[in-house]
C-alpha cells in the first residue's frame, strides 16, 4: 500500500505565515487617565500605551502607525526604534509629539478616559491591532492576559513596561442608584439603594469616608433618613473592580427656617458634629442655592450644587 501524500500549496502556506506575523505585535496595556501611576521625563503624569513583541526575534517599528482614530491610522508614526524579543515598549500618549530614537516616545495625541479606539498599523497599511473605545477610570489600566494574545482585563495595579502580572478584573461594577436625590428636606423618609448589577453587594456609610469591601454598612433594605446626613454608597462584586462611590447629602431643615426666603444666594454649611475651628480644616458639607433668575431663594427650592468640603475659620471679623 502506497503512503498517503498531502500536498499544501505554497501560496496557502505563505498566507498562513504572513497572517501569524501580522498578529504578532500587539497593544498590550494602556492607561487613559494617569494621576499617579508613572511620570514621564518631564515629571508629568500622562496617558500611555504599551506595545508588546511576543516573537523570539526583534522587530523594527519604523514607519508603523499608532492612532486613536480609525480614519487616520498613521496619526503618529514610529521612528527608527527596535522592539526586542519578548520586549515591552512604553509610548506616552501625551500630545507632546516626540519621536527621537533612544529617548522616551510621545504621540501627538492623548486618550480620552471616556473611551477612544486604539490602532497599531504596519507601514504597508495592514492593521495589526485594534481596541474599540473603552472607558477606563483614573489610575486603572486595561490590558491583556496572557500578554499580547489574551482577553482584556482591568488592573488596579498597572504594569507599564512589563508583563501584566497583577490581579486582573473582568469589569467594573456600575455605581449604585439612590431612590432620592440629595438636597434639603423637611420630613423623615426611607432611602433605598439599588445596583444595576444583580450580583453586586452595596455598602454604605453615613460619614465622609467612602465604604470599602470590609467597611461600612452592608445594604439589606431601605433605611430612614431623619437628620442631616452624608450618605456614601459603593457596589462590590467578586472578580470586578468596585464602583466609584456615590455621595448624596441630605440636609434636614428645622421648622423655624422652612419658610425662610431671601433675594440673595444662600450656602448651608454643616459640620456633622465636628466643630470648624481656625486650626486644621474640618470635613463638612455645603449646599448652594443661587437666585440667578432674580427670584427669591427658598431653602426648600431647587439646589444648584452640593458637595463634601473641607473648612476652617479665617480672618477676625467675617
Amino acid at each position: 500500500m502506497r503512503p498517503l501524500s498531502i500536498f499544501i500549496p505554497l501560496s496557502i502556506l505563505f498566507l498562513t505565515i504572513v497572517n501569524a506575523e501580522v498578529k504578532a505585535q500587539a497593544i498590550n496595556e494602556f492607561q487613559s487617565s494617569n494621576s499617579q501611576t508613572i511620570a514621564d521625563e518631564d515629571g508629568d503624569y500622562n496617558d500611555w500605551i504599551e506595545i508588546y513583541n511576543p516573537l523570539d526575534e526583534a522587530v523594527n517599528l519604523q514607519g508603523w502607525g499608532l492612532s486613536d482614530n480609525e480614519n487616520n491610522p498613521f496619526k503618529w508614526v514610529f521612528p527608527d526604534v527596535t522592539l526586542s524579543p519578548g520586549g515591552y515598549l512604553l509610548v506616552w500618549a501625551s500630545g507632546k509629539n516626540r519621536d527621537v530614537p533612544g529617548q522616551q516616545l510621545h504621540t501627538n495625541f492623548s486618550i480620552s478616559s471616556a473611551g477612544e479606539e486604539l490602532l497599531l498599523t504596519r507601514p504597508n497599511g495592514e492593521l495589526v491591532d485594534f481596541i474599540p473605545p473603552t472607558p477606563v477610570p483614573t489610575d486603572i489600566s486595561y490590558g491583556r492576559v496572557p500578554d499580547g494574545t489574551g482577553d482584556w482585563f482591568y488592573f488596579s495595579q498597572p504594569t507599564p513596561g512589563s508583563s501584566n502580572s497583577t490581579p486582573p478584573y473582568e469589569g467594573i461594577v456600575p455605581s449604585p442608584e439612590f431612590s432620592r436625590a440629595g438636597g434639603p428636606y423637611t420630613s423623615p423618609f426611607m432611602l433605598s439603594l439599588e445596583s444595576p448589577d444583580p450580583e453586586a453587594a452595596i455598602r454604605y456609610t453615613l460619614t465622609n469616608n467612602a465604604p470599602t469591601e470590609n467597611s461600612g454598612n452592608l445594604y439589606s433594605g431601605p433605611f430612614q433618613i431623619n437628620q442631616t446626613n452624608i450618605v456614601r454608597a459603593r457596589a462590590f462584586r467578586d472578580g470586578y473592580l468596585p464602583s466609584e462611590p456615590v455621595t448624596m447629602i441630605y440636609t434636614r431643615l428645622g421648622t423655624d427656617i422652612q419658610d425662610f426666603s431671601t433675594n440673595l444666594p444662600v450656602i448651608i454649611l454643616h459640620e456633622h458634629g465636628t466643630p470648624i475651628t481656625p486650626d486644621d480644616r474640618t470635613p463638612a458639607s455645603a449646599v448652594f442655592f443661587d437666585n440667578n433668575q432674580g427670584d427669591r431663594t427658598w431653602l426648600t427650592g431647587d439646589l444648584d450644587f452640593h458637595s463634601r468640603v473641607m473648612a476652617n475659620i479665617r480672618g477676625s471679623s467675617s
Side-chain angles (χ1 to χ4, degrees):
M1 183 175 179
R2 296 178 60 185
L4 178 64
S5 298
I6 299 177
F7 172 72
I8 301 177
L10 288 179
S11 60
I12 296 178
L13 181 61
F14 176 73
L15 178 61
T16 302
I17 293 174
V18 169
N19 284 340
E21 184 182 3
V22 166
K23 296 179 181 179
Q25 289 73 47
I27 297 173
N28 194 51
E29 186 183 10
F30 69 89
Q31 190 172 55
S32 53
S33 182
N34 168 25
S35 73
Q36 61 181 16
T37 301
I38 186 174
D40 66 12
E41 69 272 32
D42 300 325
D44 298 327
Y45 289 85
N46 290 302
D47 308 341
W48 50 266
I49 303 167
E50 179 190 86
I51 310 298
Y52 173 60
N53 176 22
L55 302 180
D56 56 5
E57 59 184 29
V59 175
N60 187 281
L61 296 177
Q62 185 173 17
W64 288 52
L66 189 60
S67 178
D68 63 348
N69 185 343
E70 57 185 323
N71 296 317
N72 184 14
F74 294 95
K75 189 172 183 177
W76 185 81
V77 178
F78 283 87
D80 185 9
V81 295
T82 298
L83 186 53
S84 60
Y88 302 84
L89 176 64
L90 192 67
V91 180
W92 295 99
S94 65
K96 296 179 180 180
N97 195 22
R98 298 175 183 173
D99 57 0
V100 179
Q103 298 184 16
Q104 293 191 18
L105 301 176
H106 291 255
T107 67
N108 54 359
F109 62 86
S110 57
I111 315 168
S112 169
S113 61
E116 280 186 304
E117 63 261 33
L118 290 177
L119 301 86
L120 181 64
T121 308
R122 284 181 176 274
N124 63 4
E126 291 176 294
L127 182 64
V128 176
D129 204 358
F130 175 84
I131 294 93
T134 305
V136 183
T138 299
D139 291 323
I140 302 297
S141 70
Y142 196 54
R144 285 185 160 109
V145 178
D147 291 336
T149 60
D151 293 332
W152 286 90
F153 294 88
Y154 293 90
F155 295 89
S156 61
Q157 303 172 56
T159 54
S162 61
S163 177
N164 298 336
S165 57
T166 59
Y169 295 89
E170 293 182 38
I172 302 172
V173 185
S175 295
E177 299 170 350
F178 285 60
S179 61
R180 178 165 174 164
Y185 70 99
T186 57
S187 300
F189 63 92
M190 300 299 291
L191 179 65
S192 299
L193 306 176
E194 185 177 359
S195 173
D197 184 342
E199 297 187 42
I202 299 175
R203 286 187 173 272
Y204 69 93
T205 64
L206 301 178
T207 67
N208 258 298
N209 299 321
T212 68
E213 198 166 9
N214 300 308
S215 70
N217 305 298
L218 181 63
Y219 178 76
S220 59
F223 55 94
Q224 188 179 67
I225 299 295
N226 58 15
Q227 57 185 338
T228 294
N229 281 121
I230 297 177
V231 183
R232 307 196 71 192
R234 201 174 188 184
F236 300 85
R237 177 181 172 183
D238 289 342
Y240 285 69
L241 285 171
S243 73
E244 290 294 314
V246 179
T247 303
M248 293 292 177
I249 300 172
Y250 300 101
T251 304
R252 178 73 183 268
L253 299 178
T255 55
D256 56 335
I257 62 171
Q258 290 178 12
D259 295 327
F260 171 82
S261 70
T262 176
N263 60 349
L264 298 173
V266 174
I267 301 173
I268 300 176
L269 184 66
H270 202 289
E271 59 190 17
H272 300 278
T274 304
I276 298 173
T277 69
D279 301 320
D280 293 337
R281 292 180 180 177
T282 299
S285 65
V287 182
F288 295 79
F289 302 85
D290 183 12
N291 61 341
N292 54 12
Q293 299 299 319
D295 300 326
R296 296 191 68 78
T297 301
W298 297 83
L299 300 186
T300 53
D302 294 334
L303 61 88
D304 288 271
F305 180 72
H306 69 172
S307 176
R308 295 180 300 122
V309 299
M310 301 292 287
N312 68 348
I313 297 173
R314 297 286 301 275
S316 61
S317 61
S318 62

